[in-house]
């Protein structure tokens, strides 16, 4: 894969890392950063994540052979009609949004047949850090990127987007957008909201934070790490992936109520069976 | 601190690590392992975690100046009356049980005034691994150990037990047994049961485990790591610390139901406030 001009909208952790990785691996000859903050763009230039910068979307899209939308889900949704209208008809557009059904649906409405092609992507390489300052050329190495073409997506472009992420070092899986949203609600969004719940439970102990800080171990640290992520991003994810996340939260809440009952009843057999089943499943997932 | 003869009942991950650490740091001149399985004891001798081994409790207790009960909570509770009866009157006995109210209550019933002294300990250095094969002389370094003396505990022995764990590299905090159980229910047991719930939610997706394995990221891995721990140990913890864990599970379940509602209602402000509050609290705990 060899891209002449790659435009990246949003040069934070993910967008910045795409720029660094695409340049380090010789995938893009020229990388243009696009965004709203001239200051952040300047920092990205300085860090070598992009070669040039503009705050004008039309300027970013004009020459771009590829466009990566690396902003929040709600902002990506806002951008799609303009990007569809501004890009060359030969351009390939993808994104990094962590929910896919709404984005892909909107893209399919606004990207005209015979024009630029949109293929949804979700590189699962976020981190609790944000900003180009934490961007890295290795961010996607061994990360999983889910690509979400639909029946309407030309297979050539779907393959190229898959190839793009592989070139940055990622493993790629394909899911349809709705199934993507259900799966990530369970394996990513649900863990985030339970981490938030665990922290609020700890804050409700009424222990002094400094004292509590002495008591927590690696378990609590790991279990709540994701909740260090940027709140605005996660609010958007919750709002964009409402039904699957709410369904998951309700099912987990019901499950935890059942466990509480088993514990009060002293039902050691059921508890053991549950603990074993979870552990076995984890072993299959993470050998 | 200089212990002539240290007896460790149970030479798994924790007991084995106590042995290795006490020897490496020159705290104990002689370490005797006590347990039910001659085979496991032999392995502990071979790994240098203990100098000698016996399957007879009376033999282990006879010469011991210190006894560490490093077994499961339910087994520690079983052992206490015998240990109280078998130890020298000058002996100090402590444990590693992860719940404290039941253990300390029982110890105070069976340890006679003027006899050996029991002080409850909970070194929070467990790991999802178990067995002496994973024991390490550094396990307690920078881990937190909660020591739970009561008003009935002589302060000299309480101080010595605190000193013991510090000598193995741990930070020590003191809590009364009931408060200990409430705090660890929230910062350790609750995260364990939510990790189990997250895994069972993922197994309920109906996706093939191999396929799902490709999709999970560091977030899911970290959020569920604790659930790789030994199921029997965690069943016991749930049964021993019933009320605080069940209370915590019910409160979290209710909290997650409220979040699900906020998400369905699209209440971005409340979601953002919740996410920010959790993140801020985490920053105070883990700067």
């Amino acid at each position: 894969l060899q891209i002449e001009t790659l435009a990246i909208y949003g040069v934070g952790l993910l967008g910045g890392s795409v720029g660094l990785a695409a340049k380090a691996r010789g995938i893009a000859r020229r990388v243009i950063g696009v965004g709203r903050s001239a200051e952040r763009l300047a920092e990205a230039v300085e860090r070598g994540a992009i070669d040039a910068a503009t705050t004008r979307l039309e300027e970013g899209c004009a020459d771009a052979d590829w466009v990566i939308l690396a902003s929040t889900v709600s902002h990506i949704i806002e951008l799609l009609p303009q990007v569809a209208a501004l890009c060359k008809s030969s351009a390939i557009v993808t994104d990094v949004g962590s929910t896919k059904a709404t984005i892909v649906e909107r893209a399919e409405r606004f990207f005209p047949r015979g024009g630029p092609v949109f293929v949804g992507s979700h590189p699962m390489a976020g981190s609790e850090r944000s900003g180009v300052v934490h961007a890295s050329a290795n961010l996607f190495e061994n990360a999983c990127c889910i690509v979400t073409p639909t029946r309407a997506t030309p297979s050539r472009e779907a393959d190229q987007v898959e190839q793009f992420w592989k070139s940055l070092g990622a493993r790629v899986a394909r899911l349809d957008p709705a199934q993507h949203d259900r799966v990530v609600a369970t394996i990513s969004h649900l863990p985030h909201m339970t981490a938030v719940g665990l922290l609020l439970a700890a804050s409700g102990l009424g222990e002094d934070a400094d004292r509590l800080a002495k008591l927590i171990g690696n378990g609590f640290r790991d279990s709540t790490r994701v909740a260090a992520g940027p709140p605005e991003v996660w609010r958007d994810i919750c709002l964009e992936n409402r039904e699957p996340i709410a369904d998951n939260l309700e099912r987990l809440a019901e499950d935890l109520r059942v466990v509480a009952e088993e514990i009060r009843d002293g039902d050691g057999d059921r508890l053991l069976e549950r603990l074993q089943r979870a552990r076995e499943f984890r072993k299959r997932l993470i050998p």
Side-chain angles (χ1 to χ4, degrees), chain A:
Chain A
L1 195 70
Q2 180 59 53
I3 299 170
E4 189 57 27
T5 302
L6 168 67
I8 302 172
Y9 191 103
V11 288
L13 176 73
L14 287 169
S17 296
V18 167
L20 288 170
K23 289 174 60 172
R25 292 160 183 260
I27 292 152
R29 208 188 55 78
R30 184 159 176 267
V31 180
I32 306 179
V34 194
R36 289 174 288 196
S37 155
E39 200 183 328
R40 288 181 66 192
L41 288 166
E43 195 187 348
V45 172
E46 204 174 297
R47 293 188 171 268
I50 53 177
D51 300 309
T54 174
T55 54
R56 293 178 55 238
L57 184 61
E58 53 273 41
E59 199 179 310
C61 290
D63 294 328
D65 302 295
W66 280 64
V67 178
I68 317 289
L69 302 174
S71 190
T72 62
V73 170
S74 56
H75 195 210
I76 292 170
I77 287 170
E78 260 178 64
L79 290 168
L80 283 168
Q82 307 166 58
V83 171
L86 293 169
C87 278
K88 300 197 287 199
S89 66
S90 60
I92 294 178
V93 181
T94 187
D95 73 320
V96 304
S98 37
T99 66
K100 295 266 72 84
T102 329
I103 287 176
V104 172
E105 205 178 275
R106 192 163 163 96
E108 298 203 331
R109 188 140 37 104
F110 284 97
F111 278 69
R113 266 177 207 286
V117 172
F118 180 87
V119 183
S121 300
H122 176 199
M124 297 171 79
S127 135
E128 65 279 19
R129 292 172 174 151
S130 60
V132 73
V133 58
H134 294 115
S136 146
N138 307 320
L139 188 71
F140 305 105
E141 251 166 54
N142 291 316
C144 177
C145 181
I146 304 177
V147 174
T148 61
T150 69
R151 271 182 270 178
T153 312
S155 67
R156 187 182 152 271
E157 278 81 359
D159 290 346
Q160 284 201 282
V161 169
E162 177 166 340
Q163 193 48 54
F164 175 75
W165 292 110
K166 282 185 176 164
S167 307
L168 302 193
R171 292 170 288 126
V172 173
R174 290 193 188 198
L175 285 178
D176 81 65
Q179 177 65 353
H180 165 276
D181 287 1
R182 276 193 296 273
V183 168
V184 296
T186 303
I187 65 174
S188 168
H189 309 162
L190 184 64
H192 196 96
M193 297 317 282
T194 58
V196 167
L198 291 175
L199 285 162
L200 297 182
S203 82
L205 274 171
E207 287 274 339
D208 179 68
D210 291 340
R211 184 173 162 83
L212 205 55
K214 277 186 66 177
L215 302 178
I216 58 167
N218 290 334
F220 191 81
R221 207 182 310 263
D222 286 355
S223 301
T224 60
R225 185 182 57 78
V226 290
E232 293 77 12
V233 170
W234 283 94
R235 175 201 53 198
D236 283 4
I237 288 174
C238 287
L239 296 179
E240 287 309 326
N241 202 19
R242 281 182 209 204
E243 294 300 318
I245 300 178
D247 289 351
N248 266 287
L249 283 168
E250 279 163 6
R251 272 197 299 270
L252 181 61
E254 178 52 23
D255 191 43
L256 296 182
R257 275 198 337 96
V258 170
V259 180
E261 241 170 71
E262 290 173 5
I263 290 176
R264 285 199 202 281
D265 293 347
D267 194 341
D269 292 346
R270 267 181 203 274
L271 288 168
L272 184 61
E273 186 272 329
R274 179 186 300 273
L275 288 157
Q276 284 171 335
R277 200 148 40 92
R279 191 198 200 199
E280 282 313 308
F281 189 70
R282 192 173 192 278
K283 270 193 200 159
R284 287 170 61 200
L285 286 186
I286 306 159

